[in-house]
Amino acid sequence: MKANKLILLIIFALFFTSCEDELNLDPKQAEDASVTLSTEEGITNVLTGTYAIAANGNSYGGRVLLYADLLGVTGTLSTTDLRWRGTYGELRQMYLKTMVSNNVIIEGTYSRLYSMINATNTVIENIDKVKDPDKQAVMIGEANFLRSLAYFDLVRFFAKPYIAGQANSQLGVVIRPNAIYDFSADLSKERSTVDEVYKVIIDGLNLAYTNLPEENGFYADKYAR
């Protein structure tokens, strides 16, 4: 009898140990950065993920396209044909030109565009993991296109306007030339001038035009600019 109980205890112990092993799985939607950035597949996935960030509703999935319309009208019924009938108070602030610093929708767009920039910087800095030089060139072109796109909308929404023929030394937005891997570090940085930001945009688009093919499937091509 005692022998039977001992056998049962051993079976149960083995069963629960195997169950624990089955449950100790790494989540498929997450992977340590050191693993991701060590392979060509990982770098390709980061670039694909950048497109996903761009497609988010806070960026080019809708709101960035809406902001220009809301900012382009006066918010006074007698002077515009556009009426804001939505229930989002944050977007109404934009329509009425009364944005406050804790506007979560605008804040979401700001952080989303910088996420795009950080992802593209990550691709560019780790492009050596991609072995085919032609694929390397195209990926660098795509990354530069996406980065320039993000900077363009950041500087036009969060800085004073660019004025042709002038020095444009007015404050623009922060330029992040390198990828951020440690977000616990001090990330504070002075804003660059509008002229400096536009230089980054133009240089990136010129490189993208040079590197990208005329056709690139669903992704940025030479004429996407």
Side-chain angles (χ1 to χ4, degrees):
M1 188 69 175
K2 289 182 179 179
N4 289 338
K5 288 183 178 178
L6 181 61
I7 291 170
L8 285 173
L9 287 173
I10 293 172
I11 291 172
F12 277 123
L14 291 171
F15 173 76
F16 285 115
T17 300
S18 63
C19 285
E20 287 180 3
D21 290 339
E22 290 293 327
L23 293 173
N24 288 331
L25 300 175
D26 291 328
K28 295 299 183 182
Q29 69 271 28
E31 184 176 70
D32 188 84
S34 62
V35 176
T36 302
L37 302 182
S38 65
T39 66
E40 177 174 331
E41 180 184 13
I43 303 306
T44 303
N45 288 341
V46 173
L47 181 58
T48 303
T50 311
Y51 283 100
I53 297 172
N56 184 272
N58 270 337
S59 47
Y60 300 99
R63 287 179 180 160
V64 167
L65 308 178
L66 175 64
Y67 293 162
D69 288 335
L70 293 176
L71 289 171
V73 296
T74 63
T76 304
L77 296 181
S78 61
T79 59
T80 180
D81 291 328
L82 179 65
R83 305 286 189 271
W84 172 252
R85 302 298 189 194
T87 57
Y88 287 94
E90 295 85 358
L91 294 176
R92 181 174 291 280
Q93 288 176 15
M94 186 172 287
Y95 174 65
L96 297 174
K97 316 302 178 291
T98 57
M99 284 87 77
V100 294
S101 60
N102 64 348
N103 187 309
V104 294
I105 287 182
I106 299 173
E107 186 179 284
T109 296
Y110 184 86
S111 62
R112 191 73 59 177
L113 293 177
Y114 271 110
S115 293
M116 282 179 62
I117 291 168
N118 196 57
T120 57
N121 284 338
T122 302
V123 170
I124 293 168
E125 291 178 11
N126 294 277
I127 200 65
D128 61 301
K129 307 303 187 305
V130 178
K131 302 308 178 186
D132 181 358
D134 292 334
K135 184 177 180 181
Q136 266 195 23
V138 172
M139 290 177 66
I140 289 173
E142 290 181 58
N144 273 274
F145 169 78
L146 290 166
R147 183 170 62 181
S148 293
L149 181 64
Y151 274 126
F152 174 70
D153 284 304
L154 280 168
V155 77
R156 75 187 184 108
F157 287 134
F158 297 98
K160 291 186 176 181
Y162 179 91
I163 302 174
Q166 295 191 15
N168 288 291
S169 57
Q170 64 271 33
L171 287 178
V173 294
V174 173
I175 294 174
R176 298 285 184 187
N178 304 112
I180 299 168
Y181 302 99
D182 180 10
F183 287 90
S184 65
D186 181 7
L187 301 177
S188 57
K189 195 173 186 292
E190 294 291 329
R191 291 162 64 184
S192 297
T193 66
V194 168
D195 186 67
E196 289 169 334
V197 177
Y198 270 93
K199 185 179 186 310
V200 170
I201 294 168
I202 293 168
D203 288 348
L205 291 177
N206 283 335
L207 194 154
Y209 184 79
T210 299
N211 283 30
L212 290 174
E214 293 188 2
E215 295 184 6
N216 195 24
F218 295 106
Y219 306 105
D221 59 31
K222 191 179 291 291
Y223 302 111
R225 64 199 293 263

